[in-house]
Amino acid sequence: MAAIELRGLTKVYPGGVKALDSLDLDIPDGEFFALLGPSGCGKTTLLRTIAGLETATGGAVVIGDRDVTGVQPGGRDVAMVFQDYALFPHMDVTDNIAYPLRIKKVAKGARREKAEEVGARLGLEHLMDRRPGQLSGGQQQRVALARVMATQAQAFLFDEPLSNLDARLRLEARTFLKKLQRELGVTTVFVTHDQAEALAMADRMAVMEAGHIRQIGTPAEVFQRPANTFVAGFIGSTPMNLLDGAVRGDTLEVAGCKVAVPAAAEGRLTGGEKIVYGVRPEYMAYSAGPAEGALSGKVAIVENLGASHLVTLDVNDVLVQAVVPEGSEPAVGDDGHALPRRDRALVYRDGELV
């Protein structure tokens, strides 16, 4: 096990495309750390640069107090699970798990024994003679995990390993993977574009955009207090309401309505200044009757989320969303009023959290 440190890490591809721009990052020993961001933000490039599969243009990669920036992938003592699992189709499960040990010239008997031990731990003992083509997606994923475990590397690197699984299996797999990582205590870096995976699994996470890290924090910190409007708009299964507004004395004018200044921004705003008001749909109290400080309008859309409904209000031609419990959803065309929780609402100035 080992901490991972990145110092000024930069990656520029031919043609001047800067995939990573002077990144600094510290991942403590034993932490489950998620890299989250939209496609093309640089998260997979960052993971591959840690692994040594991409060569850094500048900066340093330190794993376990050892600068490995110029070290080949095989000498970095890390193990990686790829999106497609990268299993050898002509090998059975035992040989797939044992392959990294074969590269390290471990004796055949010892590596088969290790493969069987790890395979049994992951519930693969009845599949050891099968080839990848005879396995389900979830079984292939466990073989890939077993191969990583067999290496006993200092750090595990995962590149969207759940993306090829169906929805139900993904839920089971992320629970299993998090439990396994806790038991092993191995430093783990997990790349995903799925916010639910990052929020559910990570001890801490980084949200990336265009080669930059826009915020680092625990899932709760990133969800409840996004540091900027990019993170605010990206994080959350239902996007945060980000509404243009202005300071009017001791209140805010948002979408033609007066709302209270959020508790976190009290005493930090100047009269007349333009702001962006942010509040998640989950933190809006919906009512059919008027309420002081609410955003009031007509119900435009009602979306069924299962145990709740997402209600979209047209508030003076501005769309505002609120989550309401199952059974209390309004009808399209009804008058509606969404009252933001003052302790959960946020204010952004020039794109940054006030």
Side-chain angles (χ1 to χ4, degrees), residues 88-156:
F88 296 105
H90 63 288
M91 294 183 183
D92 63 19
V93 169
T94 300
D95 287 339
N96 264 287
I97 296 173
Y99 186 76
L101 302 177
R102 176 180 168 187
I103 296 299
K104 293 182 177 181
K105 302 189 185 304
V106 175
K108 184 176 181 178
R111 66 179 185 250
R112 288 189 67 86
E113 182 180 343
K114 183 65 176 179
E116 289 169 1
E117 174 194 328
V118 174
R121 185 169 182 180
L122 297 188
L124 297 169
E125 61 270 16
H126 62 296
L127 303 172
M128 300 301 283
D129 294 330
R130 295 190 189 181
R131 294 187 176 183
Q134 299 171 298
L135 305 176
S136 68
Q139 290 167 341
Q140 289 184 36
Q141 185 211 43
R142 292 200 178 198
V143 175
L145 290 174
R147 184 171 59 188
V148 162
M149 289 173 59
T151 65
Q152 297 182 309
Q154 291 189 96
F156 293 165

Side-chain angles (χ1 to χ4, degrees), residues 16-347:
V17 177
K18 187 174 284 188
L20 304 175
D21 192 358
S22 300
L23 299 187
D24 292 312
L25 181 61
D26 291 301
I27 302 173
D29 184 11
E31 185 171 68
F32 194 117
F33 192 90
L35 295 172
L36 177 67
S39 297
C41 70
K43 56 188 184 295
T44 293
T45 299
L46 177 53
L47 192 77
R48 290 173 62 85
T49 306
I50 294 172
L53 300 175
E54 298 282 355
T55 303
T57 307
V61 177
V62 179
I63 301 175
D65 297 324
R66 184 168 68 108
D67 189 333
V68 298
T69 311
V71 177
Q72 292 297 308
R76 297 195 178 199
D77 200 14
V78 299
M80 188 163 177
V81 174
F82 296 89
Q83 185 174 353
D84 61 358
Y85 310 136
L87 302 177
F88 296 105
H90 63 288
M91 294 183 183
D92 63 19
V93 169
T94 300
D95 287 339
N96 264 287
I97 296 173
Y99 186 76
L101 302 177
R102 176 180 168 187
I103 296 299
K104 293 182 177 181
K105 302 189 185 304
V106 175
K108 184 176 181 178
R111 66 179 185 250
R112 288 189 67 86
E113 182 180 343
K114 183 65 176 179
E116 289 169 1
E117 174 194 328
V118 174
R121 185 169 182 180
L122 297 188
L124 297 169
E125 61 270 16
H126 62 296
L127 303 172
M128 300 301 283
D129 294 330
R130 295 190 189 181
R131 294 187 176 183
Q134 299 171 298
L135 305 176
S136 68
Q139 290 167 341
Q140 289 184 36
Q141 185 211 43
R142 292 200 178 198
V143 175
L145 290 174
R147 184 171 59 188
V148 162
M149 289 173 59
T151 65
Q152 297 182 309
Q154 291 189 96
F156 293 165
L157 309 177
F158 293 100
D159 186 9
E160 304 202 38
L162 310 184
S163 61
N164 290 332
L165 305 179
D166 62 49
R168 179 170 180 173
L169 197 53
R170 286 180 77 153
L171 290 174
E172 294 175 1
R174 79 185 192 195
T175 301
F176 171 80
L177 182 56
K178 178 61 178 177
K179 182 173 181 291
L180 180 64
Q181 190 271 340
R182 284 252 173 99
E183 290 173 357
L184 298 175
V186 178
T187 308
T188 299
V189 185
F190 184 94
V191 162
T192 181
H193 65 273
D194 187 315
Q195 305 158 36
E197 284 179 8
L199 292 170
M201 299 172 70
D203 298 319
R204 286 190 311 143
M205 58 194 289
V207 182
M208 295 186 64
E209 179 193 24
H212 295 86
I213 292 176
R214 300 302 305 273
Q215 185 174 3
I216 298 173
T218 66
E221 290 168 348
V222 174
F223 182 83
Q224 294 174 8
R225 291 187 58 79
N228 47 68
T229 51
F230 171 78
V231 176
F234 184 76
I235 292 291
S237 56
T238 54
M240 179 182 282
N241 294 297
L242 293 171
L243 310 171
D244 292 332
V247 181
R248 300 288 186 240
D250 59 355
T251 63
L252 302 179
E253 183 180 306
V254 177
C257 301
K258 286 187 176 182
V259 300
V261 173
E266 195 169 22
R268 306 173 69 181
L269 302 175
T270 303
E273 71 173 316
K274 303 295 185 183
I275 53 91
V276 171
Y277 181 79
V279 60
R280 294 200 178 280
E282 296 89 345
Y283 298 147
M284 302 279 265
Y286 180 85
S287 65
E292 185 178 353
L295 296 162
S296 302
K298 291 283 188 182
V299 176
I301 304 171
V302 178
E303 300 173 58
N304 190 341
L305 303 180
S308 60
H309 286 73
L310 180 64
V311 176
T312 301
L313 294 176
D314 184 335
V315 181
N316 299 315
D317 295 326
V318 176
L319 298 182
V320 178
Q321 295 185 315
V323 172
V324 304
E326 177 187 14
S328 61
E329 65 274 10
V332 172
D334 286 354
D335 291 331
H337 309 270
L339 179 64
R341 281 182 54 180
R342 185 168 176 264
D343 63 327
R344 290 299 191 192
L346 303 169
V347 172

